[in-house]
Amino acid sequence: MVQNNSNCSMSHFRYPLFTSTYSLILLFGLPLNTVSLWILVRRNGLRKSVPVIYMANLALSDLLFILSLPFRIIYFTNGEWTLGNTLCMIPGTLFVVNLYSSSLFITLISVDRMLAVVYPLRSRFLRTAPVAWGLCATVWVLISGLSVPTAMNHQENNDTECNVMRCFEKYTTDEWKYGFYILCCVTFFGILVPFGIILGCTVAVVRQLSSYSMKTSSSNTDMSKNKIVKLFLSNLLIYTICFIPFHVAFIVFGLNKLNILQGGETYFHIQTVTMCMASTNSCLDPLIYYFSSKKLQSRGRCDSSTKTGGIGLVQSTSLIQQ
């Protein structure tokens, strides 16, 4: 590595930031997702419970990404890539696979929970294991198709200025153009459209639960209502924090790289931070979607004796787990 060139120095904050962020995600995300997936499959099973099917696929997506993190940690620790072209393509591809499969699985979870609360009886034919598996298979097929151009755009490249091989950075202008067009397309269909669906589901559930609260003053029913609202808001919150900032920053940074937008290094710094934020979704998913769901299930059982006006809410609560 050329020592007298500032562009070749590892003093830029992205190197320690990425190294520490990915190390923490690996440290916490690997056991969280492994245990969550094991419990979902062994304790709950994948034959009947629709939410479990969606959450198990979400945990699998997160686990695949987390297993690729050692390659990223090695690179950002050393500042150069020595593991070959194939191993360079895999981590970059799995990051994209995780990002958009998580987006779609979170959307499926939100839609499923909305149907259970707003249309608990009419939606039973839609909330079945075969339908859930079919939707999950569709997600994996779509994401697999996206992974091909992504892999081709995440190859190792020779940084002639510093005389080292690079991975995850230092892409050419042509690679940026190609990647930018893909990014704009998947941002709309893979992020904005799902976000709109999740937002719509959240509004529908809040309205439905508001009508329940006017029919009953049961404290148990109010607690169940609050649990359900928190689950939907957590869906919206994790989506807003992890996915939206990253895509906004990446598009702006892409415009800067293509000389369409001026702004110096500022956009690069923002893109670096938001990429770390996007990566943390693999740690937050098992906490929000599995453990919160178990609390809701316990509450649903406790409320099974609720009378009169709370019956609809209790039915909706229990149906979320079916």
Side-chain angles (χ1 to χ4, degrees):
M1 182 177 293
V2 180
Q3 300 297 325
N4 60 354
N5 191 330
S6 60
N7 293 327
C8 302
S9 172
M10 290 181 60
S11 61
H12 193 277
F13 79 94
R14 71 182 183 276
Y15 290 103
L17 178 62
F18 279 133
T19 300
S20 58
T21 299
Y22 292 142
S23 297
L24 288 173
I25 293 173
L26 180 63
L27 177 64
F28 293 102
L30 183 59
L32 279 174
N33 283 280
T34 301
V35 172
S36 294
L37 186 59
W38 184 85
I39 294 176
L40 286 167
V41 174
R42 292 297 299 272
R43 182 175 297 179
N44 296 288
L46 299 177
R47 295 183 179 180
K48 295 182 179 180
S49 178
V50 173
V52 169
I53 292 173
Y54 293 141
M55 287 189 287
N57 278 272
L58 180 61
L60 177 61
S61 173
D62 290 334
L63 195 57
L64 290 174
F65 167 64
I66 290 171
L67 290 174
S68 72
L69 289 181
F71 298 110
R72 289 180 174 269
I73 295 171
I74 290 172
Y75 173 75
F76 287 107
T77 299
N78 298 325
E80 60 179 312
W81 186 257
T82 59
L83 301 178
N85 191 49
T86 300
L87 290 181
C88 177
M89 290 190 291
I90 291 176
T93 303
L94 288 179
F95 172 76
V96 174
V97 167
N98 172 251
L99 202 64
Y100 298 107
S101 62
S102 294
S103 168
L104 296 177
F105 286 132
I106 291 172
T107 304
L108 290 175
I109 291 170
S110 296
V111 172
D112 176 73
R113 288 171 171 173
M114 183 275 293
L115 291 175
V117 173
V118 182
Y119 308 104
L121 298 180
R122 283 186 287 175
S123 65
R124 277 180 174 259
F125 76 99
L126 292 174
R127 301 184 65 250
T128 62
V131 172
W133 279 117
L135 291 173
C136 289
T138 301
V139 170
W140 286 115
V141 169
L142 291 174
I143 297 302
S144 297
L146 175 64
S147 67
V148 175
T150 300
M152 294 297 100
N153 204 52
H154 282 78
Q155 301 184 59
E156 66 177 358
N157 58 87
N158 185 17
D159 186 350
T160 55
E161 183 181 7
C162 302
N163 194 30
V164 296
M165 296 300 295
R166 299 289 189 183
C167 189
F168 317 121
E169 61 178 347
K170 300 289 185 178
Y171 296 112
T172 65
T173 301
D174 289 340
E175 288 171 332
W176 263 108
K177 287 182 180 179
Y178 181 64
F180 182 74
Y181 296 144
I182 296 176
L183 177 66
C184 290
C185 183
V186 296
T187 296
F188 179 78
F189 292 104
I191 299 297
L192 295 182
V193 171
F195 180 73
I197 294 173
I198 295 172
L199 183 60
C201 289
T202 304
V203 172
V205 167
V206 171
R207 285 182 176 179
Q208 184 69 19
L209 295 181
S210 296
S211 69
Y212 285 141
S213 65
M214 291 187 294
K215 296 176 182 178
T216 177
S217 59
S218 167
S219 60
N220 284 338
T221 301
D222 288 340
M223 290 179 70
S224 293
K225 181 190 71 173
N226 291 334
K227 288 289 185 181
I228 298 173
V229 171
K230 286 179 180 179
L231 285 176
F232 277 86
L233 291 179
S234 68
N235 285 10
L236 199 61
L237 184 63
I238 189 175
Y239 208 95
T240 303
I241 292 175
C242 294
F243 298 141
I244 299 297
F246 169 72
H247 284 82
V248 172
F250 215 148
I251 288 176
V252 172
F253 178 54
L255 292 172
N256 175 249
K257 289 288 291 183
L258 298 176
N259 297 319
I260 298 175
L261 190 65
Q262 302 300 318
E265 291 288 312
T266 302
Y267 301 128
F268 178 55
H269 298 334
I270 296 174
Q271 184 267 340
T272 299
V273 173
T274 56
M275 188 170 185
C276 292
M277 293 168 58
S279 300
T280 59
N281 86 90
S282 57
C283 279
L284 298 177
D285 287 340
L287 293 174
I288 292 176
Y289 296 118
Y290 178 71
F291 295 110
S292 295
S293 181
K294 294 300 289 183
K295 291 180 181 179
L296 181 66
Q297 185 180 32
S298 299
R299 176 54 58 187
R301 289 169 179 165
C302 292
D303 291 344
S304 60
S305 60
T306 303
K307 305 297 183 180
T308 318
I311 292 296
L313 178 56
V314 172
Q315 286 179 334
S316 299
T317 303
S318 61
L319 279 170
I320 289 180
Q321 297 301 323
Q322 297 176 2

